[in-house]
Amino acid sequence: MNLPTKGEDIMRRLGIALVGVTLAAGLVAGSALAQTKEPIAKEPIALRDMGSFHIGGRVVEVTGQPIKEIVFTRGGVPAKMDPNGKYQVEQMYVQYFLPQSRKGRLPILLWHGGGLSGVTYETKPDGGDGWLSYFVRKGWDTYVSDAMERGRSGWTTSFGEPVVLPLGDPWERFRIGPAGSWNDDKAKRTTYPGAQFPVEAYEQFMKQGVPRWLTTDDPIMAGYLALVDKVCPCVVLVHSQSGAFGFKALESRPDKIKALVAIEPAAGGDRNKVASIKSTPVMIVYGDNAKDHPRWSKIRQGGVDYAGALKAAGGSIDVVDLPDAGIKGNSHMVMMDKNSDQVADLIQKWLAAKGLSD
Amino acid sequence: MNLPTKGEDIMRRLGIALVGVTLAAGLVAGSALAQTKEPIAKEPIALRDMGSFHIGGRVVEVTGQPIKEIVFTRGGVPAKMDPNGKYQVEQMYVQYFLPQSRKGRLPILLWHGGGLSGVTYETKPDGGDGWLSYFVRKGWDTYVSDAMERGRSGWTTSFGEPVVLPLGDPWERFRIGPAGSWNDDKAKRTTYPGAQFPVEAYEQFMKQGVPRWLTTDDPIMAGYLALVDKVCPCVVLVHSQSGAFGFKALESRPDKIKALVAIEPAAGGDRNKVASIKSTPVMIVYGDNAKDHPRWSKIRQGGVDYAGALKAAGGSIDVVDLPDAGIKGNSHMVMMDKNSDQVADLIQKWLAAKGLSD
């Protein structure tokens, strides 16, 4: 048994059966997979259906604007465009994959973090399988959405000026390396010891970024609630910015969200509403180096304090610091780290222990 | 045999074998499927893999901006954000589905039109299966991309002011109904006779819209060429705005694009370069009511004239006006029309006749 005793304790506390040798062997195999560059023959994915839809949003009206003449395509035929009229805004894009052999008892919804889109859960920047494939292969009906304003959801100029992160910013903000470890020169970048983020694919990760705004929480939330109302009861898995949306959704629809998994949530829920969500099990997961990071230590402490309040009200919440469970080196982008399957296994086992998966 | 003689002639000219009763029966079945609201038990989709990646783009530098303090999440911990530095821009998002039983000889790339994203080819606004599912089920390795600046590709404020279409604009521009047929009141909208667009799902279609720009053809093209260089030899299927990009891509990579299917292309290729692309078969498809529409008649005539020039240079090009092939009522959004499978069958048969599919 390779796991430290503390890790075993945490897993027992989480109600996860430890299958000694099997689990240890799984960790070794996962690590070997992450390191190899060779394509690996995969089990086929059998879907009973896949598809997408847009949900939510509203219609706004624009008046008093002049008619424009537009050449849409260079060398194309000019078109008159009257910008006045009604516009569809604030809808949300959702893509779903429904496995033929369903083992998750409910759909699982994967919500991404700030400045990103549902791509967060697809193929990892280093080309490995992400959590979308993981959960589909585990037999979950899996829904990946782009938050209102992000990606395929569209956006409108009425949101004002967006925020976009410069290339080096997430290197430290997302705890790949400590303060001062970023360098434009790849060879001069450093990381935390044993960092799991695939640093050679960092530029590839940054291609996933999309503009975001700081003024749009309410319509983002409206989109998520429309989704919950359409496809739940369900499990919701949130990351970073969407942590706040996940807890708000649970507070609004405690009967529809049957488990909430919050990966490094930017914020917890409302302490005045803990009693209302106590029948839903919640799991909060933090990666490595969160406790000592100047900003993440405060974010994590907020989550820990919130968990205490929820527990005191009779709620069911597990806070997992991955290093304490023997899983070291994870960045904020846990689902893209080299050992992402190992963390997903922990979540999958927690969900199974809650009776939500075979 | 239900098809009009003219349709049979066109199919023969295209080299498509007519399987009399079978084809006619297929049309009837397709029409029945499009009209029912009941979920239909589908054949499962077996994939040997699925995933996504971003490709292309470049790094630009911003200097001289003040450092900002930002609260990313309402109630969250403030963060300092230095907007100076390098930024990743102009990359393109691509998602792929690789069927277990491969019948298409090459990958097929589906490129969408202006103001839209790859969602164009996913589930149709009325909930029916789109062309992504169609081609995957027919055994094609299928790649759906969001053009640079659209959807999950991201965008930057340096592009300037985007264009967004008001709710009623595409009703007439995309030939669902003739001039004057749009009305904010659903009950007062009219269509061309026998229109195939699912008008009850028009608002749902408009949720798929995303902002676009009129100044970004070059980086869009660079993204498409990066994709062609990565995954081709291939078949490219383009629509509307991407018609221009498809012909440009073929002119730049005539050895890599082995067939080009252009659905209602906004523009054809460069008449000075027809000789260079004559070994690649090209199919141009127009829907109904294009010949008489004030703007589409010009666009179509441009395509027909270009086809004449390509043919005169020894090229292989088929121009199909769907109504002349017995397929009536199609709008500009052919892949969302109720009879989209019928049009896809025509394309599939053309590709098979060119030796590109079993």
Side-chain angles (χ1 to χ4, degrees), chain B residues 267-288:
Chain B
D270 181 342
R271 293 194 196 190
N272 296 317
K273 295 183 180 166
V274 285
S276 69
I277 63 162
K278 65 183 180 187
S279 10
T280 296
V282 177
M283 180 189 208
I284 303 185
V285 177
Y286 296 108
D288 210 341

Side-chain angles (χ1 to χ4, degrees), chain A residues 148-232:
Chain A
M148 190 296 298
E149 94 190 5
R150 243 55 85 62
R152 289 171 162 180
S153 295
W155 57 279
T156 75
T157 51
S158 63
F159 296 157
E161 192 75 6
V163 174
V164 187
L165 296 183
L167 200 52
D169 185 282
W171 185 273
E172 294 168 19
R173 186 184 311 289
F174 293 174
R175 304 197 321 279
I176 296 168
S181 62
W182 168 255
N183 196 297
D184 278 349
D185 180 348
K186 283 188 182 196
K188 292 183 180 160
R189 296 172 196 169
T190 57
T191 68
Y192 285 109
Q196 292 281 1
F197 191 88
V199 292
E200 74 287 357
Y202 180 77
E203 267 76 6
Q204 186 64 29
F205 163 57
M206 290 304 292
K207 291 187 183 186
Q208 298 186 7
V210 295
R212 63 172 290 183
W213 288 262
L214 301 173
T215 55
T216 47
D217 279 14
D218 292 339
I220 289 176
M221 194 64 227
Y224 282 130
L225 287 182
L227 176 60
V228 166
D229 289 340
K230 182 183 168 83
V231 306
C232 298

Side-chain angles (χ1 to χ4, degrees), chain A residues 42 45 47 49 51-52 54 56 72 74 86 91 93 95 122-123 146 152 166-167 204 207 212 218, chain B residues 42 45 47 49 51-52 54 56 72 74 86 91 93 95 122-123 146 152 167 204 207 212 218:
Chain A
K42 298 172 182 175
I45 295 178
L47 302 172
D49 202 3
S52 66
H54 282 80
F72 283 110
R74 201 187 287 170
K86 296 183 172 172
Q91 62 280 2
Y93 169 77
Q95 189 175 38
E122 299 181 347
T123 305
D146 292 352
R152 289 171 162 180
L167 200 52
Q204 186 64 29
K207 291 187 183 186
R212 63 172 290 183
D218 292 339
Chain B
K42 296 174 183 174
I45 295 178
L47 302 173
D49 203 4
S52 66
H54 281 80
F72 282 111
R74 201 187 287 170
K86 295 183 174 174
Q91 61 280 3
Y93 170 77
Q95 189 174 39
E122 299 181 348
T123 305
D146 291 352
R152 289 173 162 180
L167 201 52
Q204 186 64 30
K207 292 187 181 186
R212 63 171 289 185
D218 293 339

Side-chain angles (χ1 to χ4, degrees), chain B residues 93-144:
Chain B
Y93 170 77
V94 186
Q95 189 174 39
Y96 58 89
F97 298 90
L98 312 181
Q100 205 179 349
S101 170
R102 193 171 171 185
K103 291 177 188 160
R105 300 278 163 86
L106 298 172
I108 189 166
L109 281 48
L110 308 182
W111 299 359
H112 62 76
L116 295 163
S117 72
V119 174
T120 292
Y121 296 106
E122 299 181 348
T123 305
K124 301 194 290 183
D126 67 357
D129 274 352
W131 283 3
L132 165 59
S133 285
Y134 179 95
F135 284 106
V136 170
R137 286 176 186 280
K138 289 288 181 188
W140 290 87
D141 284 4
T142 308
Y143 290 72
V144 174

